[in-house]
Amino acid sequence: MNQIITSLLEQDAYKFSMGQAIYHQFSDYKTTWSFKCRNTDVHFTEEMVEEIKNQIKAFCNLRFTEEELEYLENVIWIKGSYVDFLRLWQPRYEDFYIGTDAECGLSIETKGTWLNTSMYEIPTLAIVNEVYFRMQYNYDELFESFKKRLAEKVEKVENGSIYLSIFSEFGLRRRLSAEAQELAVKTLAEAKLTSSTFLGTSNVFLAKKYNVTPVGTMAHEWIMCTGQGNHKHNPAYSNWYALDAWVKEYGVLNGTALTDTITTDCFLKDFQLTYATLFSGVRHDSGDPIEWGEKMIAHYEKLGIDPKTKTLLFSDSLDFERADKLFRHFNGRAKVGFGIGTYISNDTDAPALNIVMKTTRCNGQDVAKISDVKGKGMCKNPDYVEYLQRCINWRMEHDNK
């Protein structure tokens, strides 16, 4: 099998956003990441696991080129000190444990500095996904079904029957293949869209290649580690620590806040006038999107901020039809944007994998995510999840500010 990850720029943009802030503020933090396949009917064979090991070894041999570093340095919010760090940085295969001791036949864990392990998540998932689909199915037939479906959905956007406002491709971690994702980004970048705007992709390598915007700010790991990695912090205030550190790094730049790491209701306790003003918008990743959008608009209005000046970015399990419906609901009341992943990058005749790789420990202690719906969190210690939930409940009941 050809090498799957061929450039260290094949990374979601938010990894560089977070990476710079980690480098400047949390370089001593250490994290553990764990892989999980949520599909109950999927099994990885020993041959697949061996190929995944070989692909990750090949990824660990990559280095940033000067051309790639020059591209990053031209991104307005990236600083020269971080680029100099990336000039020296390399992935370490020694940080990986890859085995077969899991129900699905594949277990992966990474341990090391947060600076390192954060950069492993996305390439690892992209490798696992592509190895599985190439070895489990007739890949050529799958790719043909992918091309057919891609053409059909792009036609809907071109002829105006689907309206997506401003949208981006977010599918690197769960793409059918590098070939498929590149075809999707190229097709969308070249499409004749009259009523929608294709802004860019989370894949920085493809953003560079097709001259579109690399899109992404923060992920759940940012809130989990900044808020729960310092064991002196009350974890119910995780969002405050995360927002504060982000503003220290970026000021008013690069500002889309993720709301659902320890529930959106708890997030809103900390997303008061200063942060709500400084951040250009918020991202939805779990729970009912209409209910969430209404809640965010009401919150902005309560603070005296015009919601029309802020962006609601939706990124949870979207297809074009769902995005169209959300745009029509919120159009004229706020700026609306979409990050659409699997539906663009892995829509074939075969069901997509539901695989994740999450931070499970930071600085030797458990960390957890309690999102707006059950089933999206991942923590190996139920006692810690119960503790975190109790902290959140206490704050929600007693903090009336």
Side-chain angles (χ1 to χ4, degrees):
M1 192 179 298
N2 292 333
Q3 186 167 338
I4 292 171
I5 302 295
T6 58
S7 164
L8 291 182
L9 280 189
E10 280 189 275
Q11 182 69 266
D12 275 348
Y14 65 18
K15 289 295 185 177
F16 294 107
S17 299
M18 293 184 291
Q20 176 170 288
I22 293 167
Y23 175 64
H24 287 141
Q25 300 182 55
F26 304 99
S27 60
D28 59 335
Y29 274 33
K30 292 188 176 179
T31 55
T32 299
W33 292 67
S34 304
F35 168 84
K36 183 176 183 179
C37 179
R38 292 170 174 161
N39 305 76
T40 56
D41 57 347
V42 166
H43 183 76
F44 293 88
T45 65
E46 289 186 8
E47 292 77 14
M48 290 178 186
V49 175
E50 196 59 34
E51 180 62 29
I52 288 165
K53 287 181 180 179
N54 291 334
Q55 290 287 344
I56 290 176
K57 284 178 184 174
F59 158 69
C60 289
N61 286 327
L62 294 171
R63 302 292 179 270
F64 283 103
T65 68
E66 285 303 314
E67 182 187 347
E68 290 169 342
L69 293 169
E70 184 181 349
Y71 173 80
L72 288 174
E73 200 157 21
N74 284 326
V75 176
I76 188 171
W77 44 262
I78 290 187
K79 299 169 185 174
S81 57
Y82 181 54
V83 173
D84 274 345
F85 163 75
L86 292 178
R87 185 169 281 114
L88 302 174
W89 184 76
Q90 59 189 72
R92 297 181 72 251
Y93 188 69
E94 294 79 7
D95 290 344
F96 286 83
Y97 165 78
I98 305 168
T100 58
D101 51 335
E103 193 172 338
C104 68
L106 172 65
S107 57
I108 304 175
E109 195 166 78
T110 64
K111 293 182 179 180
T113 63
W114 189 14
L115 269 171
N116 277 3
T117 52
S118 176
M119 297 290 276
Y120 300 155
E121 174 198 0
I122 306 301
T124 297
L125 292 174
I127 285 168
V128 169
N129 216 69
E130 184 161 346
V131 167
Y132 178 80
F133 282 104
R134 284 190 181 274
M135 297 182 74
Q136 179 70 15
Y137 295 95
N138 181 320
Y139 172 79
D140 291 336
E141 289 181 2
L142 275 190
F143 189 54
E144 286 303 312
S145 70
F146 173 83
K147 288 193 288 187
K148 180 174 179 288
R149 292 176 182 222
L150 177 65
E152 290 170 352
K153 64 183 64 143
V154 171
E155 183 183 0
K156 290 180 181 178
V157 186
E158 285 186 319
N159 66 27
S161 60
I162 290 288
Y163 196 102
L164 299 176
S165 182
I166 297 172
F167 72 104
S168 301
E169 187 276 331
F170 273 20
L172 172 53
R173 72 184 63 203
R174 293 175 189 162
R175 67 188 184 185
L176 171 64
S177 63
E179 174 186 34
Q181 188 186 22
E182 178 162 355
L183 176 64
V185 171
K186 182 177 187 292
T187 301
L188 289 166
E190 296 174 353
K192 303 290 191 292
L193 306 182
T194 56
S195 54
S196 300
T197 300
F198 177 63
L199 179 62
T201 172
S202 64
N203 183 331
V204 181
F205 176 80
L206 292 180
K208 175 180 180 293
K209 185 169 183 177
Y210 292 100
N211 195 30
V212 295
T213 302
V215 182
T217 53
M218 69 175 69
H220 297 101
E221 66 176 278
W222 176 253
I223 298 96
M224 291 163 66
C225 292
T226 57
Q228 300 169 41
N230 183 332
H231 306 154
K232 297 175 183 177
H233 291 172
N234 180 336
Y237 291 79
S238 293
N239 288 299
W240 185 89
Y241 290 108
L243 295 169
D244 181 62
W246 199 264
V247 169
K248 283 178 183 173
E249 186 68 32
Y250 294 114
V252 298
L253 297 176
N254 207 22
T256 302
L258 182 58
T259 71
D260 71 330
T261 307
I262 54 170
T263 74
T264 293
D265 287 339
C266 194
F267 168 85
L268 293 179
K269 290 281 189 184
D270 293 314
F271 199 60
Q272 294 301 316
L273 186 59
T274 298
Y275 294 134
T277 300
L278 290 173
F279 281 79
S280 58
V282 284
R283 177 161 76 92
H284 169 265
D285 199 53
S286 67
D288 184 287
I290 298 284
E291 182 181 318
W292 174 88
E294 293 292 349
K295 184 178 291 186
M296 293 310 309
I297 287 174
H299 185 72
Y300 280 124
E301 289 175 340
K302 179 182 175 183
L303 295 174
I305 296 171
D306 183 357
K308 295 188 186 70
T309 66
K310 300 296 179 179
T311 297
L312 303 180
L313 177 60
F314 296 90
S315 64
D316 180 33
S317 304
L318 292 175
D319 58 29
F320 283 3
E321 285 72 23
R322 287 193 196 100
D324 177 271
K325 180 181 176 183
L326 288 168
F327 173 76
R328 293 178 191 279
H329 182 88
F330 291 108
N331 184 29
R333 302 170 61 203
K335 299 175 185 177
V336 182
F338 303 100
I340 304 175
T342 306
Y343 178 72
I344 292 178
S345 69
N346 197 358
D347 185 14
T348 72
D349 289 343
L353 291 182
N354 188 351
I355 55 175
V356 294
M357 198 159 172
K358 299 287 187 185
T359 329
T360 49
R361 293 178 73 81
C362 183
N363 297 332
Q365 181 171 290
D366 298 283
V367 292
K369 165 189 166 191
I370 298 179
S371 69
D372 290 334
V373 292
K374 290 183 178 179
K376 294 198 79 171
M378 184 172 164
C379 179
K380 293 185 175 181
N381 186 348
D383 290 341
Y384 181 77
V385 177
E386 182 188 357
Y387 161 70
L388 175 58
Q389 187 65 66
R390 283 192 290 112
C391 290
I392 294 169
N393 292 346
W394 178 269
R395 184 178 182 193
M396 296 306 295
E397 291 170 12
H398 296 89
D399 182 355
N400 297 315
K401 290 182 181 179

